[in-house]
Amino acid sequence: MSRVSTTDFAAHASVDSLHQAVVAVTAASVARDWENERHQHRKAQLIYSVRGVLTCEVEDGVWIVPPQCAVWIPGDLPHSARGAGHTECYCLFVEPEAAPDLPTFCCTVAVSPLLRELLLKAADFPEQYAAGGKEERLIATLLDQLAEAPVEDLHLPMPRDARLRRLAECLLVDPTDKTPKGVWASRVGMSERSMSRLLQDEIGMGFGRWRRQLHVILALQRLAQGESVQTIALDLGYGSASGFVTMFRKAMGKPPGRYLSERSMLAPQIAPPTITLPGHLLG
C-alpha cells in the first residue's frame, strides 16, 4: 500500500508505473464538475464517494456512485468517470493478482462502516512499511471486506445491438421523451415484440424499467447538486413531484430526499484536505 498525494501522483504518467500492488490516493475534494475521458489501466480501481455522486461508464453500462458507495472497475477495462458538483472521494488502485476474489466486472458496492474505516486508515499509511506487519494485515482485511461488499442496483445497462444502442443514446440525450415503446421500435427498424425480446436478452430489463433506471441516475446526480425534487420531476417529464417521488421510492426503497440525507449522515466526520484533484488522478 502506498499513500500518494496529488502532487506526487501527478508526476506519474500512469498508475501502472507504480510498483506497489495496492496504491491509495488519500482524498479528493473537487469543488466543481469534473470528467475523465475514456481510458484504461492495468490496475483495477475502487472509487469511494464520501460526499457527492459519481458516475462511471463502460461500454455496456453506466454505474452511479452515491455517498457511502463505491464503484469497482476491473483492470484493463476502458472506462470514463465524472463527478457532479462538490465531491469528496478516496481512490484505491489494485493489481489484479493482489485481489483474485474481487469481481471481474464493473459494479457499484455498498461500503460498510468497517470497510469505510479500513479505507480511511489505509490512506494514512506511510509509503514504505515492513512486510508482514500490521499494515499488510489491514490491507488483507480491507480486500476481504471489499470482496464481501454487497452489490447495489445502481446500474444502467447499455445494449450492444446497434439499433438498441441508438435508442438508448436518444433517451440519454432527451430523457424526458415520452414516445411510446411501439413508436421507438418503428424508429429503430424493429417490431415492438422483437425490440422487447432483444432488450430483455441484452440488458435483462424491459423498456419501461430501463427508462426509470435512467431517471433515477439523472435524479441522483442533480439532487447532489442541490436541485429541488420539483424541478427535477418537471424536467424529467413527470406531471408532478409526487409522481416522480413514487417512481424513485419503488426503485430505491426510499423517497429521494431521505435516500440522500441518510447517506450524507453516514459520511465520516473528518476534515480531509481540500484539494483540486486533476481529473486523470481519479481515472
Side-chain angles (χ1 to χ4, degrees):
M1 187 74 176
S2 176
R3 179 168 60 91
V4 180
S5 72
T6 52
T7 301
D8 294 332
F9 199 68
H12 295 274
S14 166
V15 295
D16 291 337
S17 66
L18 302 177
H19 299 299
Q20 295 87 347
V22 182
V23 178
V25 173
T26 56
S29 177
V30 182
R32 56 179 174 78
D33 295 353
W34 55 267
E35 182 172 1
N36 302 331
E37 295 182 354
R38 185 171 291 262
H39 62 284
Q40 67 188 83
H41 33 73
R42 185 186 68 253
K43 284 182 169 68
Q45 182 179 11
L46 181 79
I47 309 177
Y48 163 51
S49 174
V50 177
R51 295 176 181 84
V53 175
L54 313 178
T55 305
C56 176
E57 182 174 353
V58 299
E59 182 181 5
D60 61 355
V62 177
W63 277 260
I64 51 174
V65 193
Q68 307 313 305
C69 277
V71 62
W72 172 253
I73 308 165
D76 289 321
L77 179 66
H79 61 280
S80 61
R82 63 181 178 271
H86 181 80
T87 59
E88 294 179 5
C89 53
Y90 287 81
C91 292
L92 199 67
F93 294 95
V94 185
E95 288 287 357
E97 61 270 19
D101 296 329
L102 289 174
T104 57
F105 52 89
C106 191
C107 58
T108 302
V109 297
V111 176
S112 68
L114 174 58
L115 179 54
R116 181 191 69 202
E117 294 304 318
L118 290 169
L119 285 166
L120 299 184
K121 184 67 175 177
D124 284 332
F125 284 173
E127 293 188 13
Q128 301 294 330
Y129 54 86
K134 61 181 182 180
E135 293 89 355
E136 194 171 86
R137 293 193 296 272
L138 185 142
I139 291 166
T141 302
L142 186 160
L143 294 178
D144 286 343
Q145 289 294 310
L146 182 57
E148 295 176 3
V151 174
E152 298 238 348
D153 187 20
L154 296 171
H155 170 217
L156 182 72
M158 293 291 284
R160 293 182 179 272
D161 179 88
R163 296 162 297 178
L164 296 181
R165 193 81 177 197
R166 189 161 68 251
L167 163 65
E169 289 170 352
C170 286
L171 285 173
L172 285 168
V173 170
D174 183 11
T176 67
D177 193 319
K178 294 295 185 181
T179 300
K181 180 172 63 174
V183 176
W184 273 119
S186 178
R187 286 181 182 176
V188 298
M190 304 176 72
S191 69
E192 184 175 348
R193 178 176 295 182
S194 295
M195 187 178 84
S196 296
R197 183 172 59 249
L198 193 54
L199 276 170
Q200 194 66 43
D201 289 344
E202 290 213 357
I203 66 176
M205 62 179 67
F207 177 77
R209 183 183 167 195
W210 187 92
R211 183 156 57 182
R212 287 193 296 273
Q213 193 84 338
L214 169 62
H215 286 178
V216 167
I217 287 177
L218 295 173
L220 282 171
Q221 291 172 336
R222 294 178 62 176
L223 285 165
Q225 292 177 294
E227 295 189 43
S228 71
V229 170
Q230 178 76 21
T231 298
I232 296 169
L234 295 178
D235 285 353
L236 291 178
Y238 291 84
S240 66
S242 61
F244 165 76
V245 169
T246 298
M247 179 280 297
F248 192 98
R249 184 187 288 112
K250 287 181 179 179
M252 306 303 293
K254 299 172 183 177
R258 181 180 168 193
Y259 179 85
L260 275 184
S261 65
E262 288 184 357
R263 288 193 172 275
S264 295
M265 289 173 63
L266 290 173
Q269 300 303 306
I270 57 174
T274 300
I275 314 164
T276 298
L277 187 63
H280 70 281
L281 298 191
L282 289 172

